[in-house]
Amino acid sequence: MSKALLYDATLCIGCKQCEAGCAQQNKLPYDDHIAAEDVTSDHKFTTVMTRSDKFFRRLCMHCQDPACASVCPVGALHKTANGPVVYEENRCMGCRYCMVACPFGVPKYEWSKVLPKVQKCIMCPDRVANGQPTACAEACPTGATKFGERDELIKEAQLRLHDNPSNYVPHIFGVEEVGGTSVIMISGVAFEEFGLSPAKLPKDPLPIYTYRVLSRIPDFVPLGGAMLGGVWWITHRREEVAAAEAEEKSKKDGGTR
Amino acid sequence: MKFKFTFWKLVFAVIMVAGIYATAVRFAQGLGASTNLSDQFPWGIWVGFDVLCGVMLAAGGFTLTAAVHILNIKRWHSIVRPTILTAFLGYALVSLALMFDLGRPYRIWHPLIMRNPHSVMFEVAYCVMLYTSVLSLEFSPIVLERFKMEKALKIIKAVLIPLVIFGVILSTLHQSSLGTVYLIMPTKLHAFWYSPLLPVFFYISAIAVGLAMTIFESSISSKYFGRQLELPILRELGRVLYIVLWVYTILRFEDLLHRGMLKQVLVNSYEMRLFWLEVILAMIAPIVLLSFRKLRNSPGGLYLIAVMVVLGFITNRLNVSITGMEGTAGGHYLPKWTEFAITAMIVAAGFALFGLAAKYLPIFPDEKEHDAAAEEPKAVPVTAAVMTNAGD
């Protein structure tokens, strides 16, 4: 079964322990200066955003059918059976299509490096494979970030919304958006305030949009070849007939003379 | 021969010096130091212009080879070589531009062994790779003729038709696929440009630009290489262009209508102004001008129309890749001087290589026909007879 994270913004106290745990796990620098950064970047895979007294965590959503993995020409990104969307640095040639395609703007690039790579939350795949929770979930003191089975976490989110409807906006983010994600989010304030727009995101997985076109290619190639060959045959046959007729005519003319 | 220092040579030298310096900055310090790209704006003019427009501007190659070799429009034969040359140079320069844009250019060969057939980029990479090979084969007779390698020439001529068909298929696939690239961004690309028909639009506009570029380069060649202008051919190309532009324009506006965007394009906004710049340059103005007989029959009128169409569709590609993405990226992107310098260097290299090839290779038919007439004088009346009869 596929693992997932449930983030409940109403439980988040903005302590940023998840950020620190993430940095330690991924061997990234972390200090007060970085902690104050509001956005994810090539050196910060998760961030706790603050709007007045509300907090909201952003990280890779680990889509069920990720656009980034679908667009990567060399298959440097892929969704593992466990849930994490991981990145193989040695394959990447740096076309950055993943960054352009991601509906959440998650993949970041090491712009300042001469030989850069893509950076993003990879949901601690080694820990997850060993049955351990992600570093962020382990670091969270309040249970705002919880690790578990995706199906069970969705059920739990539904239960929390059902039990305390006044605490939450009536939406579970990540169940349906872009075909579902492995990070499930519930919140007390509108998701839009923190840059997520459930209304604007299609329910279909994004790779379907390109696959609809791409899947026609195997049919198109032989069909197009046959059509072009046919047109060539017709246009040149006409010419041959004309030439043959001309020759016959000249022969006849020669014979009568 | 004494080397003459002209104005254009000075311009070329300045562009090259700036470009080489910018190249040093790019490879010594990386993309961050040499571009205004960011996590919000990962693709700039090296993708939007060098790749998207580069491939589009090279579309004359497949358009003209299809017309001459498949549709058998023999009277256009004399302009096929310069268009194949343009296409070949175009694709070579697109590949060169990719070396600047890729974060790790030395891995450009990775798609050969690391395949992801679900990726549009993967498909484009393969098509461009194969089509560049096809173009070099289509171009090879010009070189082989120059060095009188008869045997190799015979082999190429024997496989020319399958080669042309393969080239047209590959071009159809990747010209449209450059539009498909953006289909996965329904939430990011502005609704003026995001449409399920993007691949169709990219394909039809590539044909229009292919025709316009052929008119453009014929006009320039006649001016700078002192060649006679093939005006009757250019007039015919102009008429085909007129039809293609109508088809494109009707489709574009029908699409806007069906997606409920027709009202939005009348509301003033940043995107709206650039949308209309594109529509006027690529569609309205050329269609209006082409409907005047005097203009579509005159060399100057055709040249003006061709330049407009080319600029119009360059605007279209930049609108899709840059303007249309700025809204969701939350900010404007303006290329750094190094990005301009490298793009200018690549364009200038294209012009210079075209000039060199035109000078040293039998690109234009004048010399070639002389040769053919000298070698096989009997062949000429036969083909002439065929051509007069082909019309009945």
Side-chain angles (χ1 to χ4, degrees), chain B residues 13-132:
Chain B
V14 171
I15 289 175
M16 281 297 149
V17 170
I20 289 164
Y21 181 68
T23 305
V25 176
R26 157 67 186 92
F27 289 106
Q29 296 177 40
L31 286 167
S34 56
T35 67
N36 275 344
L37 298 176
S38 62
D39 288 331
Q40 285 69 46
F41 228 97
W43 282 355
I45 54 165
W46 289 348
V47 171
F49 184 83
D50 298 21
V51 175
L52 290 189
C53 294
V55 168
M56 171 184 79
L57 295 172
F62 91 89
T63 314
L64 263 290
T65 49
V68 171
H69 294 294
I70 310 287
L71 296 177
N72 203 14
I73 309 175
K74 281 227 167 68
R75 52 186 189 279
W76 289 2
H77 199 273
S78 61
I79 51 167
V80 166
R81 284 193 168 184
T83 42
I84 290 181
L85 173 64
T86 316
F88 179 61
L89 289 176
Y91 279 88
L93 294 172
V94 165
S95 314
L96 176 70
L98 271 176
M99 302 301 283
F100 286 89
D101 188 69
L102 289 179
R104 303 224 183 193
Y106 59 95
R107 289 179 179 167
I108 195 167
W109 57 275
H110 272 196
L112 279 175
I113 57 158
M114 301 171 188
R115 303 195 179 96
N116 177 14
H118 286 257
S119 163
V120 186
M121 184 83 77
F122 171 80
E123 188 235 320
V124 171
Y126 258 78
C127 283
V128 168
M129 207 156 55
L130 289 170
Y131 186 54
T132 310

Side-chain angles (χ1 to χ4, degrees), chain B residues 227-372:
Chain B
R227 299 187 48 255
Q228 210 190 341
L229 192 67
E230 294 109 335
L231 194 55
I233 301 178
L234 300 195
R235 282 177 183 158
E236 288 183 354
L237 292 179
R239 281 170 196 222
V240 180
L241 177 62
Y242 184 59
I243 297 165
V244 175
L245 287 179
W246 263 118
V247 171
Y248 180 85
T249 309
I250 291 170
L251 264 182
R252 268 301 286 279
F253 279 88
E254 272 184 350
D255 172 63
L256 287 170
L257 174 73
H258 290 314
R259 293 188 297 109
M261 274 293 134
L262 268 191
K263 270 186 193 153
Q264 253 82 339
V265 297
L266 297 174
V267 180
N268 188 24
S269 68
Y270 169 69
E271 283 88 0
M272 176 263 200
R273 290 191 289 274
L274 282 155
F275 170 83
W276 281 106
L277 177 69
E278 166 194 336
V279 170
I280 289 169
L281 271 178
M283 297 170 233
I284 296 176
I287 285 178
V288 169
L289 294 180
L290 276 167
S291 56
F292 289 104
R293 182 177 294 162
K294 210 175 163 189
L295 280 171
R296 69 163 179 258
N297 283 340
S298 78
L302 281 169
Y303 179 70
L304 175 73
I305 289 160
V307 169
M308 273 186 159
V309 170
V310 169
L311 290 179
F313 283 111
I314 287 177
T315 312
N316 167 258
R317 297 302 193 263
L318 293 178
N319 276 345
V320 170
S321 61
I322 293 167
T323 317
M325 305 290 277
E326 284 182 328
T328 42
H332 291 292
Y333 153 84
L334 193 75
K336 215 175 211 171
W337 77 267
T338 28
E339 293 178 79
F340 281 122
I342 284 166
T343 297
M345 174 177 73
I346 290 171
V347 173
F351 274 94
L353 288 171
F354 188 95
L356 283 178
K359 198 170 174 187
Y360 294 107
L361 294 171
I363 302 292
F364 295 110
D366 308 6
E367 309 101 296
K368 194 194 143 211
E369 263 164 40
H370 279 304
D371 285 353

Side-chain angles (χ1 to χ4, degrees), chain A residues 192-211:
Chain A
E192 282 80 1
E193 284 206 23
F194 297 96
L196 290 173
S197 312
K200 284 187 189 158
L201 291 165
K203 303 269 176 279
D204 287 333
L206 294 178
I208 284 182
Y209 288 75
T210 44
Y211 191 68

